[in-house]
Amino acid sequence: MAQFWKPGTERPPLLDDEDGGILLYSASSSSSGYGYVSIEKQRQRLPVFKYRTAILYLVETHATTIVVGETGSGKTTQIPQFLKEAGWADGGRVIACTQPRRLAVQAVASRVAEEMGVKLGEEVGYTIRFEDLTDRDSTRIKFLTDGVLLREMMEDPLLTKYSVIMVDEAHERSISTDVLLGLLKKIQRRRPELRLIISSATIEAKSMAAFFHTSKKRRGLGGEDCVPKTEPAILSVEGRGFNVQIFYVEEPVSDYIQAAVSTVMSIHDQEPMGDILVFLTGQDDIDAAVRLLTEEAQSNRKSSSGLVVLPLYSGLSRADQDLVFSPIPRGKRKVVIATNIAETSLTLEGVSYVVDSGFSKQRFYNPISDIENLVVAPISKASARQRAGRAGRVRPGKCYRLYSEEYFVKEMSAEGIPEMQRSNLVSCVIQLKALGIDNILGFDWPASPSPEAMIRALEVLYSLGVLDDDAKLTSPAGFQVAEIPLDPMVSKMILASNQLGCSEEIITIAAILSIQSIWVSVRGQQKDLDEAKLRFAAAEGDHVTFLNVYKGFLQSGKSPKWCNKNFVNYQAMRKVLEIREQLKRIAQRIGIVLKSCESDMQAVRKAVTAGFFANACNLEAFSHNGMYKTIRSTQEVYIHPSSVLFRVNPKWVIYHSLVSTDRQYMRNVISIDPSWLIEAAPHFYQHHQPNSIPH
DNA sequence: GAGCACTGC
């Protein structure tokens, strides 16, 4: 049983103003309201309300304002309204506010429309992929995902219709937020009248300020008077969360799953009612913990009979995810065992206790091997605080950290590594190229990726023929690929399908490859799923199998019942239809003729080869265990058991992606004829392996 | 015969 001690509650984050030019405001904590009050009263009770004048003053006088706001401060809903009231949307101008997630965009936009008493889609609107609820003439406040704003830049590089752009949740450091920040900094030099508001967590504020503090002279249009100060202002707004008491273990735990289970049991035995939220790393951990807690409940009926244990991760079906929000019988205590999904994406009300393992799964990218891996790694202090905060949303709570205070203070890093530095950069680089950023290596990022990663991305794009010898976008292929919102290798496959006469099929495949999985997630029904898959299995491989599933789905009249019977995920298929429609529109716009190759699967396989030639593998001549080697780097790889080609082992295959566990497994595999490789990418293969491919 | 943190265009 883990032992905890309480060295004191976490202090609210403070900012000092030791740096010249940085402004600091602070005010006493606000009271939280009860009872039924008008919308206007509710607005006035938000902590951000008393900073209204300060915010408007700072935005007027500074090119960039950094707002440090805890959850519940009201910054996201109020600041755009303050700006509108102050005239920033006059003269046809628009105030933009970006979010990393679609759901947040929709939620915030409808809240603001409600507060302003207007119909959503008119004065207040939002844009996310597949959904544009704005009006060209009347929308004054627009919420959008940062990815959508990046796409808008391809039409209007200076984002001229916006007077103020607020980038919310910038501390999350997603790739699109970072790219957006880098580009906005560039735009500022051309548009001194543009104002930026960066909303960030405390820890990041100063590095963000340093990034936007440029000594370079602006190309201002007017005199000195109308040019805002270039050094960013920082303003801190307190949140409205409740105090969360932090407990640490005295000694490091060797098994965080067991420790989490014991901690839940002791909370249940000793603490007053209130739900428990446990942060673990992934499905395996979570299922194990759920099992252990259930066993515990059976062996120790008295203390644990009152527990309702629920798992929560994105792989669960919608219905299973919704269970965590449904009410439970009176007198019972809810325990939700979750991945990072509960850290930012989903908010559970009523949680009073958080158990934090200190770990999460994180993506890491090795530019040398060009492989992305998922690794269990320690979280950052920022994450730990975010997790703890989940216990104090409705009343004071407690957070039990399964690591020592010494570890937290001395060893845990302050912030996580930005996604930018942990990812493959091909999509990101082509997008910058399309925006006319020629010098990628010299681009001013909020966090620079490694030169190796950037060079690798440039190499891949060059090999795809979308960049030329001068690293400029080729015409038309480069521009077409940049236009398609998919991984460039997938986009290249779509371009190739035009010449091969199979664009209808390839667009379907591209849509399916861009979602997680078309199969329902099963536990204990693996055999049934495998049998269902066999009904669609194609000798050519997984891509062609996908086509069979899609065809069956259409023939069923897009029936949910049909999906159920065939272990196909109906929600996923709906998404496929949506993506497919978008891809069709874009394809037609860039001059791709929609055409079906009917049953000519050779055309389909050739198109896949045109995009994914770099992932070609050859079965080892005397391999009895299905070992393949990649042509590019002679790395050992195996066909994943979920593939229809598992145990079939064709001599030559191309994979869509690798997953690495104890072995490197190829997921989504298609068989090819090696002569197509040289057809598709002569430069690539003649240079790499002149003798290994038969002509 | 095995495994999928989380977003997003």
Side-chain angles (χ1 to χ4, degrees):
Chain A
M1 169 69 228
Q3 294 298 309
F4 293 92
W5 68 294
K6 188 208 132 212
T9 57
E10 262 191 303
R11 278 193 206 94
L14 298 171
L15 260 190
D16 53 28
D17 58 349
E18 67 210 17
D19 299 341
I22 293 180
L23 290 167
L24 174 86
Y25 284 78
S26 93
S28 58
S29 185
S30 71
S31 60
S32 52
Y34 291 99
Y36 190 83
V37 285
S38 71
I39 281 184
E40 193 50 37
K41 277 263 160 53
Q42 283 180 35
R43 284 190 65 193
Q44 290 173 9
R45 283 182 184 181
L46 289 167
V48 74
F49 184 77
K50 55 183 167 297
Y51 300 97
R52 188 179 186 280
T53 318
I55 290 169
L56 290 174
Y57 169 76
L58 292 179
V59 171
E60 179 142 352
T61 52
H62 293 74
T64 307
T65 303
I66 293 162
V67 176
V68 179
E70 310 274 296
T71 38
S73 64
K75 59 186 161 51
T76 313
T77 53
Q78 301 311 303
I79 293 176
Q81 294 184 67
F82 297 164
L83 295 168
K84 161 91 178 25
E85 289 153 12
W88 283 96
D90 294 352
R93 297 178 300 171
V94 179
I95 296 156
C97 177
T98 73
Q99 296 290 320
R101 282 171 291 277
R102 296 160 52 90
L103 219 66
V105 168
Q106 291 173 306
V108 169
S110 58
R111 174 70 196 173
V112 170
E114 189 194 332
E115 287 186 9
M116 288 172 59
V118 300
K119 195 168 158 241
L120 188 60
E122 291 173 4
E123 207 172 327
V124 177
Y126 71 84
T127 309
I128 55 181
R129 188 184 188 184
F130 308 129
E131 226 182 309
D132 182 9
L133 225 65
T134 60
D135 182 84
R136 173 193 284 273
D137 300 315
S138 64
T139 299
R140 299 276 76 88
I141 299 177
K142 175 166 160 184
F143 292 90
L144 67 176
T145 50
D146 30 30
V148 167
L149 190 59
L150 277 176
R151 284 280 153 193
E152 282 190 6
M153 289 182 76
M154 290 177 67
E155 301 289 311
D156 178 10
L158 293 180
L159 297 171
T160 50
K161 72 176 171 205
Y162 300 110
S163 58
V164 185
I165 295 170
M166 173 166 169
V167 181
D168 206 3
E169 314 285 358
H171 58 275
E172 286 187 23
R173 308 305 300 268
S174 71
I175 291 184
S176 37
T177 307
D178 270 13
V179 174
L180 184 62
L181 291 174
L183 290 164
L184 288 174
K185 181 177 174 181
K186 267 178 109 74
I187 293 179
Q188 271 187 326
R189 288 166 56 187
R190 305 272 298 276
R191 284 189 58 203
E193 80 283 6
L194 175 69
R195 296 297 191 275
L196 301 181
I197 298 175
I198 316 292
S199 145
S200 172
T202 315
I203 301 169
E204 297 267 338
K206 280 191 183 173
S207 61
M208 209 58 93
F211 176 69
F212 278 98
H213 192 167
T214 163
S215 50
K216 277 181 194 154
K217 240 183 133 105
R218 284 160 192 283
R219 264 193 269 164
L221 303 169
E224 280 294 304
D225 300 341
C226 34
V227 179
K229 290 192 188 149
T230 55
E231 70 268 37
I234 296 185
L235 178 125
S236 176
V237 182
E238 72 280 4
R240 222 165 47 164
F242 292 87
N243 194 28
V244 175
Q245 225 178 326
I246 309 286
F247 300 87
Y248 294 92
V249 293
E250 286 176 348
E251 297 292 329
V253 302
S254 55
D255 177 351
Y256 61 75
I257 298 177
Q258 186 56 56
V261 169
S262 319
T263 306
V264 167
M265 294 310 297
S266 78
I267 293 170
H268 186 51
D269 284 343
Q270 292 157 24
E271 297 289 337
M273 286 311 267
D275 297 345
I276 305 173
L277 173 60
V278 183
F279 283 103
L280 294 181
T281 62
Q283 185 173 341
D284 280 355
D285 283 7
I286 291 171
D287 290 345
V290 169
R291 209 167 42 241
L292 283 170
L293 273 170
T294 314
E295 280 168 15
E296 195 96 10
Q298 281 162 356
S299 67
N300 181 4
R301 196 158 302 151
K302 183 177 142 282
S303 64
S304 26
S305 56
L307 286 181
V308 176
V309 187
L310 298 165
L312 177 63
Y313 43 85
S314 79
L316 288 176
S317 69
R318 264 299 288 281
D320 284 345
Q321 284 191 18
D322 286 344
L323 280 182
V324 305
F325 295 107
S326 62
I328 56 163
R330 259 183 87 87
K332 295 235 176 194
R333 192 200 292 267
K334 197 188 281 183
V335 184
V336 175
I337 310 197
T339 59
N340 254 5
I341 194 171
E343 200 179 298
T344 48
S345 303
L346 289 178
T347 299
L348 294 157
E349 299 296 342
V351 170
S352 298
Y353 307 96
V354 162
V355 179
D356 173 14
S357 65
F359 290 95
S360 70
K361 280 198 185 171
Q362 291 161 40
R363 177 167 53 206
F364 286 94
Y365 172 65
N366 178 346
I368 309 301
S369 60
D370 194 24
I371 291 176
E372 283 183 337
N373 268 337
L374 265 186
V375 181
V376 173
I379 61 169
S380 66
K381 285 193 174 91
S383 261
R385 291 205 175 88
Q386 176 77 16
R387 288 179 172 188
R390 294 309 208 179
R393 292 189 58 87
V394 290
R395 60 181 134 144
K398 293 180 177 178
C399 173
Y400 300 80
R401 291 180 172 162
L402 303 178
Y403 38 92
S404 69
E405 188 187 28
E406 188 183 6
Y407 172 80
F408 175 79
V409 173
K410 291 190 184 156
E411 284 177 59
M412 201 176 246
S413 66
E415 301 124 34
I417 302 167
E419 193 185 10
M420 188 96 239
Q421 296 174 337
R422 297 184 282 116
S423 310
N424 170 318
L425 296 174
V426 275
S427 297
C428 174
V429 167
I430 194 165
Q431 213 165 2
L432 288 173
K433 285 283 174 191
L435 291 167
I437 311 293
D438 289 329
N439 182 6
I440 297 288
L441 293 171
F443 186 70
D444 192 5
W445 311 87
S448 288
S450 72
E452 289 83 6
M454 288 191 267
I455 287 165
R456 169 65 70 166
L458 290 167
E459 278 173 4
V460 171
L461 292 170
Y462 177 77
S463 77
L464 286 171
V466 303
L467 289 181
D468 63 19
D469 290 338
D470 302 321
K472 290 227 170 10
L473 278 189
T474 54
S475 185
F479 288 93
Q480 288 169 318
V481 165
E483 193 84 3
I484 303 172
L486 296 171
D487 181 294
M489 285 157 84
V490 181
S491 306
K492 180 65 194 292
M493 168 178 93
I494 295 177
L495 290 195
S497 73
N498 196 28
Q499 284 106 50
L500 292 159
C502 56
S503 54
E504 290 277 7
E505 286 77 11
I506 286 295
I507 284 174
T508 304
I509 289 171
I512 292 176
L513 287 172
S514 69
I515 62 163
Q516 297 258 0
S517 169
I518 56 167
W519 306 104
V520 288
S521 69
V522 285
R523 276 185 293 173
Q525 299 183 80
Q526 195 55 53
K527 262 197 128 151
D528 299 327
L529 171 62
D530 284 351
E531 277 167 24
K533 261 189 198 174
L534 277 180
R535 293 203 275 276
F536 303 101
E540 295 89 346
D542 297 304
H543 301 65
V544 179
T545 304
F546 291 149
L547 287 177
N548 292 340
V549 174
Y550 181 74
K551 212 153 111 199
F553 178 62
L554 290 190
Q555 278 167 357
S556 79
K558 304 174 188 169
S559 147
K561 257 198 192 139
W562 180 89
C563 287
N564 228 4
K565 208 178 70 195
N566 291 293
F567 287 81
V568 170
N569 182 336
Y570 177 67
Q571 294 298 334
M573 291 310 286
R574 293 290 302 260
K575 222 163 158 185
V576 166
L577 291 174
E578 225 172 14
I579 297 173
R580 199 177 180 282
E581 280 311 304
Q582 185 195 27
L583 295 180
K584 251 169 85 173
R585 278 197 306 276
I586 294 171
Q588 281 168 323
R589 195 170 71 217
I590 62 177
I592 289 173
V593 182
L594 291 171
K595 190 172 177 300
S596 167
C597 58
E598 305 301 336
S599 58
D600 177 14
M601 288 305 124
Q602 181 159 321
V604 168
R605 292 155 74 204
K606 279 187 169 181
V608 174
T609 309
F612 288 85
F613 53 82
N615 294 354
C617 302
N618 178 220
L619 183 70
E620 281 291 281
F622 303 103
S623 168
H624 301 295
N625 60 349
M627 188 215 292
Y628 284 78
K629 289 222 167 131
T630 62
I631 308 301
R632 186 173 41 155
S633 54
T634 63
Q635 207 190 346
E636 245 183 62
V637 293
Y638 297 83
I639 293 180
H640 195 279
S642 66
S643 168
V644 297
L645 293 185
F646 179 69
R647 286 220 193 93
V648 177
N649 294 332
K651 196 154 168 28
W652 292 86
V653 297
I654 278 180
Y655 63 85
H656 179 255
S657 62
L658 284 182
V659 289
S660 28
T661 51
D662 50 331
R663 283 176 173 182
Q664 301 279 358
Y665 283 107
M666 303 184 266
R667 284 185 72 199
N668 296 330
V669 181
I670 190 163
S671 76
I672 56 153
D673 182 319
S675 66
W676 302 342
L677 291 171
I678 299 181
E679 257 175 67
H683 46 290
F684 192 81
Y685 278 108
Q686 276 160 13
H687 177 72
H688 276 74
Q689 291 277 324
N691 303 317
S692 64
I693 298 174
H695 286 69

